[in-house]
C-alpha cells in the first residue's frame, strides 16, 4: 500500500520535471554526458535482472516434467500437465479456499481498524500523547513474524500467560495456538497486532490534508460531530480507502507466507495451508519442482490480473487508482 | 504568560504547542463517556503492544525459582538475575546465530544502501538517457515476483546454497526504498546541482559532495529499513541454508520457541549424532532471553527510525 502512493508521486514528478536537458541531442552526445548516471544504475539493473527477471522466466518449468539433473533444457515438456494435476488436487483447492477465506475475513475485521484508530487518534488534542501512542502503535510493524508468533505463543499458547491464569483459576487447558477452529481469528489478531498501528500512517496523513475551515464552516451551519464525520472526514478519506482496498483485493492471493509456515505444524495443513505454503511444501520440500512452479505461476498470473482489474474498476468509479493511465 | 516571555525560545515553543493542543472555539466539548471510551481504547492499544514485551523481559530476567513459583511467565518481577543472558552469550548456538545475524545485517545493509543510493541518483536526473525505461524496470518489480521455486533453482544453480551471500543478494534491493530515495533526490533544487556542474563537478562528485550531505535523513531512514529487514529475514535462510550451523537468529528463535525443539550445540547440523553435545533443555528464562535478544536491536534502532519519519523535507538549501 505504501509503495503505490510513492509511485504516483514519482510519476507526477517525472511528468513535470522532464526535458530540462537537451532532448534533441543525438544518442552519442547524450551517452557521453550521461554515462556516469547509467553506470550508477547498472548494479541495481544487473541484480534485478539476475535475481528478479531471470528467475521469472524460470517459471517455464511449470510446463515441464522438471528434473534438477536434466535442467530446463533437458527436461521434458508436458504442456499443461502440471496444471491438470494441480486442478485435480483437492489439497490445492483447499489451499485456495483457505487463502480466500483469510483475505475475506481480514477485509472485514482488519481493514477498518486502522481507519478507526486513525480517527480516534486524530481527535486527541495533545500532540505529546498523540506522538507517544503513534510511537508505540507503529512498533510491532518492525518485528519479525517469528517474533510475533513467539509472543502470541507466550500469551495465548498452551503454556502461555492466559492458560497459566486459567489454570490457577481452576479452568481446563487452553491453547489457542493449536486450535484449528480459532485459527482464522488467531492469524487475524496477529496481523492486527503487527500492522494495524502502522496502517494508520496513511490515514493520518490523509486526515491532516483536510482543510480545517470546512469543519468550522460546518459547525457554524449547525452540523454536529457525527455529521461532520460523515460529510467531511469520510469523503476526505475516500480516495485513500479506495486505493488501499484495490491493493488489498489485488493482493487477495497473498496472505503472508512466514506467518503461515510458522504455524502450519501446530494447527495442521487443513486450515493453515495457503497458496504460498502449498508451493513450498508440495513443490520445494517434495522436490516436485514443475508442479510447485505451476501452483506459483497460477498464483502470480491470477494476482496480476486481479490488480489490473481492480485498478480498472477504480478508474471506472472515478478514483485515481494505483497508477495513472498515461 | 506575558508577551515579554515570548522572546524566550523555550516558552515560545511551549506556548505554540499549547495553542496547537487547544480545542478550537467552535468545537463542542466531548461528552464524558466519549472521552472515557477514547481513553480506554487508546490505552488498550498501548497495553497490547507493551504488555507482552514487558512479560517477556521480566521472565528473561527472573531466576529459576521465581519462574517455578509463578508457574510459568513472570508478571511481577522478583529475584532478578542476568544468568540467562550470561549463559546464552558465553558461546554456543545462540551466540553464533547472533554473530551471523549481525554480520549479515551490517554487510547487507551497507551493500543495499550503496547500490540504492547510486541507482536512486542515477534515475533522479530528469531527461537523462534511458532513465524512463530503467525506472520502469524497477517499478515493474512491484507487480510480480519470480516465485519461490524458480528463485530457489537459480540460487542453487549459482552454488549459493549454504552461503551467506544467499541471504543478501536475492533480496538486496527494495524497489520501495529506491523510489523513496529517488523522490527525495528529485526534490533537491536543480540550481544546486547545475551550479556544481558549472564548477566542473562530475556526477559522482555531485552525488558525494552535494546530494549526500543534504540527504542524511533519508539515507538514515532507508538504511534502517534495510537493516531491520535483514535482521528480521527468516524465509531466505529457511530456503537457502540447510546447515543449521549457519543459521541466523530468527531461525534459531523459531526452533527454540515456536517449535520448542533444540539444536545440537556442536557442529554438523542435521547429521550430528544424537546425544552429541545436546545442550540442557533451555529454561523458560533462557527462551525468553532469546526473544529479547532478537527484539533488542529493533527496539534500539526504532527511536532513530521514528525521529527521521517526519524529516522528509529539505529546508532552505538554496537561498535567494
Amino acid at each position: 500500500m505504501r509503495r503505490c502512493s510513492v509511485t504516483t508521486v514519482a510519476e507526477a514528478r517525472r511528468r513535470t520535471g522532464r526535458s530540462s536537458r537537451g532532448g534533441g541531442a543525438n544518442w552519442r552526445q547524450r551517452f557521453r554526458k550521461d554515462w556516469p548516471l547509467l553506470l550508477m544504475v547498472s548494479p541495481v539493473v544487473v541484480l534485478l535482472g539476475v535475481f528478479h527477471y531471470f528467475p521469472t522466466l524460470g517459471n517455464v518449468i511449470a510446463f515441464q516434467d522438471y528434473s534438477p539433473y536434466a535442467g530446463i533444457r533437458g527436461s521434458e515438456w508436458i504442456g499443461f500437465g502440471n496444471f491438470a494435476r494441480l486442478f485435480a488436487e483437492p489439497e490445492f483447492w483447499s489451499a485456495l479456499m483457505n487463502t480466500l477465506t483469510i483475505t475475506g475475513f481480514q477485509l472485514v475485521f482488519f481493514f477498518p481498524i486502522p481507519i478507526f484508530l486513525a480517527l480516534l487518534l486524530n481527535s486527541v488534542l495533545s500532540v505529546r500523547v498523540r506522538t507517544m501512542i503513534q510511537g508505540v502503535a507503529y512498533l510491532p510493524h518492525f518485528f519479525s513474524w517469528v517474533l510475533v508468533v513467539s509472543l502470541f505463543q507466550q500469551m495465548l499458547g498452551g503454556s502461555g500467560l492466559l492458560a497459566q491464569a486459567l489454570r490457577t483459576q481452576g479452568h481446563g487447558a487452553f491453547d489457542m495456538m493449536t486450535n484449528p477452529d480459532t485459527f482464522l481469528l488467531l492469524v487475524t489478531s496477529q496481523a492486527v497486532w503487527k500492522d494495524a498501528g502502522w496502517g494508520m500512517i496513511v490515514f493520518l496523513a490523509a486526515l491532516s490534508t483536510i482543510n480545517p475551515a470546512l469543519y468550522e464552516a460546518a459547525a457554524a451551519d449547525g452540523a454536529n460531530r457525527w455529521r461532520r464525520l460523515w460529510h467531511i472526514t469520510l469523503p476526505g478519506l475516500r480516495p485513500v480507502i479506495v486505493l488501499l482496498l484495490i491493493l488489498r483485493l489485488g493482493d487477495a492471493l497473498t496472505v503472508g507466507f512466514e506467518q503461515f509456515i510458522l504455524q502450519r505444524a501446530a494447527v495442521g495443513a487443513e486450515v493453515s495451508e495457503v497458496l504460498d505454503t502449498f508451493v513450498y511444501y508440495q513443490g520445494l520440500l517434495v522436490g516436485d519442482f514443475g508442479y510447485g512452479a505451476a501452483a506459483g505461476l497460477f498464483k502470480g498470473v491470477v494476482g496480476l490480473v486481479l490488480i489490473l482489474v481492480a485498478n480498472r474498476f477504480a478508474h471506472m468509479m472515478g478514483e485515481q487508482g494505483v497508477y495513472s493511465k498515461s | 504568560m506575558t508577551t515579554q516571555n515570548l522572546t524566550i525560545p523555550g516558552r515560545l515553543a511551549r506556548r505554540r504547542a499549547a495553542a496547537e493542543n487547544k480545542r478550537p472555539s467552535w468545537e463542542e466539548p466531548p461528552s464524558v463517556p466519549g472521552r472515557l471510551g477514547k481513553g480506554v481504547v487508546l490505552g488498550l492499544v498501548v497495553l497490547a503492544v507493551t504488555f507482552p514485551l514487558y512479560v517477556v523481559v521480566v521472565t528473561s530476567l527472573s531466576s529459576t525459582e521465581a519462574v517455578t513459583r509463578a508457574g510459568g511467565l513472570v508478571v511481577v518481577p522478583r529475584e532478578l538475575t542476568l544468568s540467562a543472558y550470561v549463559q546464552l552469550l558465553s558461546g554456543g548456538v545462540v551466540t553464533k546465530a547472533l554473530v551471523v545475524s549481525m554480520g549479515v545485517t551490517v554487510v547487507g545493509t551497507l551493500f543495499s544502501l550503496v547500490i540504492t543510493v547510486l541507482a536512486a541518483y542515477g534515475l533522479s536526473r530528469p531527461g537523462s538517457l534511458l532513465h524512463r525505461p530503467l525506472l520502469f524496470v524497477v517499478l515493474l518489480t512491484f507487480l510480480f515476483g519470480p516465485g519461490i521455486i524458480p528463485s530457489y533453482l537459480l540460487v542453487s544453480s549459482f552454488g549459493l546454497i549454504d552461503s551467506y551471500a544467499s541471504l543478501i543478494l536475492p533480496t538486496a534491493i527494495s524497489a520501495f526504498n529506491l523510489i523513496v530515495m529517488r523522490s527525495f533526490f528529485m526534490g533537491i533544487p536543480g540550481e544546486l546541482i547545475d551550479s556544481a556542474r558549472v564548477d566542473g563537478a562530475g556526477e559522482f562528485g555531485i552525488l558525494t559532495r552535494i546530494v549526500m550531505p543534504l540527504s542524511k535523513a533519508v539515507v538514515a531512514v532507508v538504511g534502517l529499513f534495510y537493516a531491520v529487514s535483514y535482521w528480521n529475514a527468516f524465509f531466505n535462510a529457511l530456503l537457502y541454508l540447510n546447515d543449521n550451523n549457519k543459521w541466523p537468529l530468527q531461525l534459531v528463535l523459531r526452533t527454540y520457541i515456536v517449535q520448542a525443539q533444540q539444536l545440537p550445540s556442536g557442529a554438523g547440523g542435521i547429521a550430528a549424532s544424537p546425544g552429541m553435545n545436546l545442550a540442557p533443555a533451555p529454561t523458560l528464562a533462557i527462551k525468553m532471553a532469546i526473544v529479547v535478544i532478537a527484539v533488542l536491536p529493533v527496539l534500539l534502532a526504532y527511536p532513530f527510525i521514528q525521529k527521521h519519519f517526519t524529516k522528509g523535507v529539505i529546508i532552505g538549501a538554496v537561498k535567494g
Side-chain angles (χ1 to χ4, degrees):
Chain A
M1 53 176 186
R2 297 173 293 170
R3 54 188 190 198
C4 292
S5 48
V6 174
T7 313
T8 39
V9 170
E11 295 279 322
R13 288 246 172 87
R14 197 179 62 186
R15 250 179 278 123
T16 52
R18 60 193 270 232
S19 76
S20 71
R21 289 174 144 212
N26 69 38
W27 280 73
R28 195 176 301 166
Q29 270 175 329
R30 289 181 70 189
F31 181 78
R32 203 172 299 151
K33 196 173 59 181
D34 286 339
W35 68 266
L37 295 175
L38 292 173
L39 192 65
M40 289 179 186
V41 184
S42 57
V44 161
V45 171
V46 169
L47 266 180
L48 287 180
V50 172
F51 287 101
H52 197 98
Y53 288 97
F54 186 59
T56 302
L57 295 178
N59 275 305
V60 295
I61 66 167
F63 304 98
Q64 288 186 327
D65 183 14
Y66 181 80
S67 142
Y69 305 104
I72 292 182
R73 283 194 197 158
S75 294
E76 191 194 343
W77 293 90
I78 53 168
F80 286 87
N82 286 320
F83 290 93
R85 229 178 99 203
L86 194 65
F87 297 143
E89 172 70 65
E91 278 175 44
F92 169 75
W93 294 109
S94 147
L96 182 63
M97 275 316 290
N98 285 339
T99 311
L100 293 176
T101 314
I102 291 163
T103 298
F105 196 79
Q106 295 196 347
L107 217 49
V108 179
F109 293 99
F110 178 3
F111 191 81
I113 290 179
I115 305 175
F116 171 74
L117 284 180
L119 288 174
L120 210 57
L121 196 61
N122 200 49
S123 71
V124 172
L125 290 169
S126 157
V127 175
R128 199 185 293 171
V129 173
R130 217 156 54 193
T131 318
M132 197 275 286
I133 295 176
Q134 263 170 292
V136 174
Y138 295 166
L139 180 61
H141 173 76
F142 296 96
F143 292 169
S144 67
W145 270 114
V146 188
L147 191 83
V148 173
V149 173
S150 297
L151 288 176
F152 265 77
Q153 197 180 35
Q154 295 312 315
M155 294 300 118
L156 305 175
S159 53
L161 200 64
L162 190 57
Q164 211 171 294
L166 288 173
R167 211 164 35 237
T168 49
Q169 301 285 313
H171 293 281
F174 172 87
D175 188 357
M176 199 168 164
M177 302 297 287
T178 55
N179 186 349
D181 299 331
T182 54
F183 184 69
L184 200 53
L185 192 65
L186 178 73
V187 289
T188 306
S189 20
Q190 286 166 344
V192 167
W193 190 81
K194 189 175 192 292
D195 280 325
W198 181 252
M200 291 193 306
I201 281 193
V202 194
F203 297 109
L204 286 174
L207 282 171
S208 70
T209 61
I210 298 176
N211 184 356
L214 291 176
Y215 289 105
E216 190 169 355
D221 287 346
N224 67 20
R225 188 178 295 281
W226 301 109
R227 298 200 60 142
R228 292 200 300 268
L229 178 73
W230 184 252
H231 291 293
I232 301 172
T233 312
L234 288 182
L237 289 182
R238 202 183 63 178
V240 183
I241 295 178
V242 170
L243 182 72
L244 292 185
L245 210 53
I246 296 171
L247 285 172
R248 187 68 200 96
L249 288 174
D251 254 359
L253 298 185
T254 307
V255 283
F257 178 80
E258 299 191 352
Q259 190 186 3
F260 292 90
I261 211 165
L262 285 165
Q263 305 186 83
R264 188 176 176 270
V267 294
E270 208 166 301
V271 291
S272 70
E273 190 89 293
V274 293
L275 283 180
D276 282 323
T277 57
F278 181 87
V279 174
Y280 178 74
Y281 283 99
Q282 308 296 322
L284 199 64
L285 283 197
V286 182
D288 203 345
F289 294 113
Y291 182 58
L297 190 59
F298 170 81
K299 193 206 140 194
V301 170
V302 175
L304 191 60
V305 170
L306 278 179
I307 192 130
L308 296 178
V309 168
N311 199 63
R312 168 64 65 86
F313 190 68
H315 281 307
M316 268 161 47
M317 304 288 286
E319 298 289 345
Q320 263 270 288
V322 179
Y323 47 85
S324 45
K325 276 189 252 179
S326 56
Chain B
M1 227 183 269
T2 61
T3 34
Q4 287 141 309
N5 289 339
L6 285 181
T7 50
I8 305 164
R11 289 275 172 87
L12 182 64
R14 223 174 299 150
R15 174 90 180 240
R16 205 180 283 149
E20 219 173 283
N21 289 347
K22 236 178 71 188
R23 182 178 306 285
S25 55
W26 48 264
E27 192 175 323
E28 61 274 45
S31 64
V32 176
R35 295 180 67 167
L36 212 64
K38 199 196 292 180
V40 168
V41 172
L42 292 176
L44 280 178
V45 169
V46 172
L47 207 62
V49 175
T50 50
F51 182 69
L53 293 176
Y54 163 82
V55 171
V56 166
V57 171
V58 168
T59 307
S60 77
L61 290 169
S62 294
S63 65
T64 318
E65 296 79 52
V67 172
T68 318
R69 201 174 323 130
L73 293 156
V74 185
V75 179
V76 188
R78 254 181 238 131
E79 298 175 51
L80 298 183
T81 158
L82 280 172
S83 67
Y85 292 92
V86 173
Q87 203 175 326
L88 280 178
L89 297 178
S90 59
V93 177
V94 173
T95 316
K96 188 146 194 222
L98 188 61
V99 172
V100 170
S101 280
M102 290 200 294
V104 169
T105 304
V106 170
V107 175
T109 304
L110 285 178
F111 177 69
S112 296
L113 202 52
V114 168
I115 59 173
T116 304
V117 166
L118 285 175
Y121 180 73
L123 293 172
S124 72
R125 295 299 97 214
S128 73
L129 185 64
L130 288 179
H131 90 280
R132 287 178 68 114
L134 290 175
L135 187 67
F136 187 68
V137 165
V138 173
L139 290 178
L140 203 61
T141 59
F142 279 134
L143 278 185
F144 61 90
I148 298 165
I149 288 182
S151 296
Y152 174 83
L153 292 176
L154 181 84
V155 168
S156 98
S157 75
F158 286 162
L160 290 178
I161 299 292
D162 275 335
S163 75
Y164 293 127
S166 70
L167 305 186
I168 295 176
L169 291 177
T171 45
I173 305 150
S174 148
F176 172 74
N177 285 346
L178 206 166
I179 297 302
V180 166
M181 199 171 273
R182 175 179 176 269
S183 314
F184 188 89
F185 288 168
M186 294 192 79
I188 292 176
E191 292 90 330
L192 262 180
I193 288 162
D194 289 341
S195 65
R197 196 169 285 128
V198 168
D199 291 346
E203 296 292 353
F204 282 96
I206 293 172
L207 175 60
T208 51
R209 285 194 228 121
I210 311 285
V211 174
M212 289 307 283
L214 290 172
S215 313
K216 282 182 197 136
V218 74
V219 171
V221 172
V222 167
L224 286 166
F225 274 142
Y226 273 129
V228 167
S229 72
Y230 276 114
W231 180 262
N232 286 341
F234 153 80
F235 184 50
N236 273 355
L238 182 72
L239 212 52
Y240 303 132
L241 299 187
N242 299 322
D243 180 359
N244 62 17
N245 230 353
K246 290 183 172 160
W247 275 4
L249 199 57
Q250 300 293 337
L251 270 180
V252 171
L253 185 67
R254 173 180 94 129
T255 311
Y256 275 127
I257 316 293
V258 179
Q259 300 181 326
Q261 289 168 0
Q262 286 181 66
L263 289 168
S265 58
I270 301 160
S273 56
M276 186 193 94
N277 284 337
L278 262 181
T283 63
L284 190 60
I286 288 186
K287 284 183 171 183
M288 293 307 103
I290 304 177
V291 175
V292 174
I293 291 174
V295 76
L296 203 59
V298 178
L299 291 181
L300 292 179
Y302 185 62
F304 296 97
I305 301 184
Q306 227 204 338
K307 194 181 111 193
H308 287 300
F309 268 156
T310 45
K311 283 199 181 170
V313 252
I314 176 168
I315 317 148
V318 177
K319 286 192 178 129

